[in-house]
């Protein structure tokens, strides 16, 4: 689809996160896997070794580990603004699962859609935005040409 | 976070001004250059060709423009009616007598960028042959632009004291005959 048919948003941060304190936007993470499935092999290895370290490193995120029979392994991430993202981790190694988790941790919960402009500022003008009467001498009625705008040394 | 509405600021930035320029004793090319800069909006720091940021320009006294050199006799304005044998060439004098606004108008038209915005910019140019302008245009004016050419003073505009005070190279004798 064209970018006009798909949704888009402007660049923003969630409540100026990072200007003061940085708050991790990831609220809850649920690792869904199956005990005996070949696709969840990497996930099971990750749960054996890496998940506790991950949970300790991110104290603001709640980690749920839910084994479900005959299910495809996936990670469900819930963010503070209510967005839910699901990532499929089928046939991934333990290292790759950790990479997916760090990617989800670093994201804010804003939608992953086309960003219209990759820049944004809340103060676009410091000295004041130009308008036709900046740098014009004050006058009653039209400005007469006897006030020539010469550069004064 | 915004604490104020941003739209009035945008309206102020893109507001259209009205300029007036007196073309008495001025070369029409220089007048046209000044007009074209203001009509395009190139005098503004917010200029962009697609922004439609041009201003209005009022030219008065276009009947009293002054070509330099022999252009009144030598400059030729050509046009073709479209019919065979319809190629017309008129000198600047003939054109000026027929229509005192045409020379300035053609000069500005040739100096504007050759795209579809040109006609819109020409609509924002208001030329008057004499000093009188309508009241609603006069009410809109914001600035009078300085004239590009300094008008030299005629001899009858000098006072006798200034003429006497002017330094002379030598005083000719009473019976000296000037060629």
């Amino acid at each position: 689809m064209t970018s006009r048919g798909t949704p888009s948003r402007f660049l923003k941060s969630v409540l100026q996160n990072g200007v003061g304190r940085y708050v991790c936007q990831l609220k809850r993470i649920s690792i869904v896997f199956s005990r005996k499935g070949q696709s969840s092999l990497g996930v099971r290895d990750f749960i054996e070794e890496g998940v506790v370290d991950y949970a300790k490193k991110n104290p603001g995120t709640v980690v749920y580990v839910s084994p479900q029979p005959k299910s495809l392994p996936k990670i469900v991430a819930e963010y503070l603004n209510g967005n839910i993202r699901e990532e499929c981790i089928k046939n991934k190694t333990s290292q790759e699962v950790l990479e997916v988790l760090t990617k989800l941790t670093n994201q804010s919960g804003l939608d992953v859609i086309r960003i219209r402009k990759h820049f944004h500022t809340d103060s676009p003008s410091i000295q004041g935005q130009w308008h036709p009467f900046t740098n014009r001498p004050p006058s009653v009625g039209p400005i007469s040409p006897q006030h020539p705008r010469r550069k004064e040394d | 976070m915004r604490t104020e509405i941003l739209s009035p600021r945008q309206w102020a930035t893109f507001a259209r001004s009205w300029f007036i320029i007196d073309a008495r004793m001025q070369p029409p090319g220089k007048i046209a250059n000044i007009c074209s800069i203001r009509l395009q909006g190139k005098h503004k720091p917010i200029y962009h060709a697609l922004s439609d940021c041009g201003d209005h320009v009022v030219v008065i006294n276009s009947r009293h423009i002054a070509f330099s050199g022999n252009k009144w006799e030598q400059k030729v304005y050509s046009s073709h009616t479209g019919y065979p044998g319809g190629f017309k060439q008129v000198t600047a004098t003939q054109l000026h007598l027929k229509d005192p606004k045409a020379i300035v108008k053609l000069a500005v038209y040739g100096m504007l960028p050759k795209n579809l915005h040109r006609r819109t910019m020409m609509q924002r140019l208001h030329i008057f042959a004499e000093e009188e302008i309508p009241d609603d245009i006069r009410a809109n004016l914001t600035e009078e632009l300085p004239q590009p050419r300094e008008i030299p003073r005629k001899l009858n505009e000098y006072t006798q004291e200034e003429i006497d005070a002017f330094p002379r190279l030598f005083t000719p004798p009473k019976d000296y005959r000037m060629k």
Side-chain angles (χ1 to χ4, degrees):
Chain A
M1 271 296 267
T2 53
S3 55
R4 190 159 174 209
T6 45
S8 57
R9 66 177 175 96
F10 285 95
L11 184 72
K12 68 182 274 243
S13 59
V14 179
L15 292 177
Q16 264 86 337
N17 200 15
V19 175
R21 170 194 298 252
Y22 171 71
V23 174
C24 179
Q25 294 293 309
L26 190 55
K27 185 164 64 174
R28 190 180 308 136
I29 199 146
S30 323
I31 309 180
V32 174
F33 66 106
S34 80
R35 275 186 235 269
K36 278 182 242 185
Q38 204 47 41
S39 48
S40 326
L41 193 60
V43 195
R44 283 181 296 220
D45 289 337
F46 176 73
I47 290 170
E48 264 175 58
E49 335 158 321
V51 76
V52 181
D53 296 329
Y54 171 81
K56 283 194 183 139
K57 258 193 271 182
N58 309 55
T61 313
V62 183
V63 181
Y64 288 93
V65 172
S66 49
Q68 256 145 51
K70 290 187 188 166
S71 67
L72 279 179
K74 63 181 179 184
I75 297 180
V76 181
E78 285 170 65
Y79 289 92
L80 287 174
N81 59 3
N83 282 1
I84 300 177
R85 273 203 72 182
E86 293 186 8
E87 292 271 338
C88 177
I89 39 176
K90 178 176 156 185
N91 290 334
K92 282 204 178 4
T93 63
S94 168
Q95 186 60 35
E96 284 166 6
V97 173
L98 181 62
E99 278 167 22
V100 170
L101 271 181
T102 41
K103 180 188 89 168
L104 290 170
T105 317
N106 292 337
Q107 280 180 350
S108 71
L110 300 166
D111 312 321
V112 182
I113 49 180
R114 177 180 71 97
I115 296 181
R116 284 180 177 226
K117 296 185 187 193
H118 289 275
F119 46 85
H120 171 77
T121 171
D122 285 323
S123 50
S125 166
I126 301 293
Q127 297 177 14
Q129 198 169 45
W130 181 90
H131 56 82
F133 290 97
T134 48
N135 302 331
R136 264 196 183 171
S139 68
V140 177
I143 303 167
S144 77
Q146 299 311 317
H147 300 278
R149 289 188 231 161
R150 281 195 306 261
K151 287 196 191 113
E152 288 171 3
D153 301 279
Chain B
M1 285 290 280
R2 303 199 319 244
T3 51
E4 56 195 21
I5 317 167
L6 295 173
S7 27
R9 189 179 294 172
Q10 166 129 359
W11 298 335
T13 304
F14 287 90
R16 228 171 264 155
S17 316
W18 284 67
F19 294 95
I20 182 168
I21 184 157
D22 191 353
R24 182 180 287 275
M25 297 296 283
Q26 305 298 311
K30 292 209 159 96
I31 295 285
N33 191 36
I34 293 172
C35 292
S36 82
I37 290 174
R38 302 261 171 341
L39 288 167
Q40 291 174 71
K42 287 206 146 176
H43 61 294
K44 298 184 174 175
I46 47 150
Y47 167 79
H48 190 269
L50 302 173
S51 298
D52 190 18
C53 47
D55 289 333
H56 289 256
V57 182
V58 178
V59 181
I60 56 172
N61 283 325
S62 79
R63 180 168 280 141
H64 305 282
I65 50 173
F67 267 119
S68 57
N70 293 331
K71 289 191 205 128
W72 284 114
E73 282 79 38
Q74 288 176 347
K75 190 169 175 64
V76 163
Y77 288 88
S78 326
S79 59
H80 202 289
T81 58
Y83 291 94
F87 184 54
K88 297 202 192 301
Q89 283 183 303
V90 280
T91 57
T93 331
Q94 292 166 336
L95 182 66
H96 196 61
L97 288 168
K98 199 169 80 163
D99 179 14
K101 302 184 190 177
I103 290 185
V104 177
K105 189 163 166 200
L106 287 168
V108 178
Y109 192 74
M111 292 197 185
L112 292 173
K114 317 287 181 282
N115 54 27
L116 292 173
H117 295 287
R118 183 163 58 160
R119 298 269 166 169
T120 326
M121 292 186 226
M122 286 303 287
Q123 286 190 326
R124 294 192 182 137
L125 173 71
H126 313 271
I127 311 177
F128 296 97
E130 303 291 348
E131 289 265 1
E132 290 87 32
I133 58 179
D135 288 327
D136 42 3
I137 294 184
R138 188 177 287 281
N140 285 345
L141 298 172
T142 55
E143 186 170 345
E144 185 174 348
L145 300 172
Q147 294 189 306
R149 172 196 180 226
E150 218 181 279
I151 305 175
R153 285 159 73 183
K154 299 203 240 316
L155 187 59
N156 57 5
E157 287 167 21
Y158 283 93
T159 59
Q160 189 57 38
E161 292 87 32
E162 280 174 318
I163 296 172
D164 295 333
F166 200 83
R168 288 185 146 206
L169 274 178
F170 73 106
T171 334
K174 288 277 186 272
D175 52 352
Y176 186 78
R177 250 190 26 178
M178 300 268 210
K179 279 226 190 84

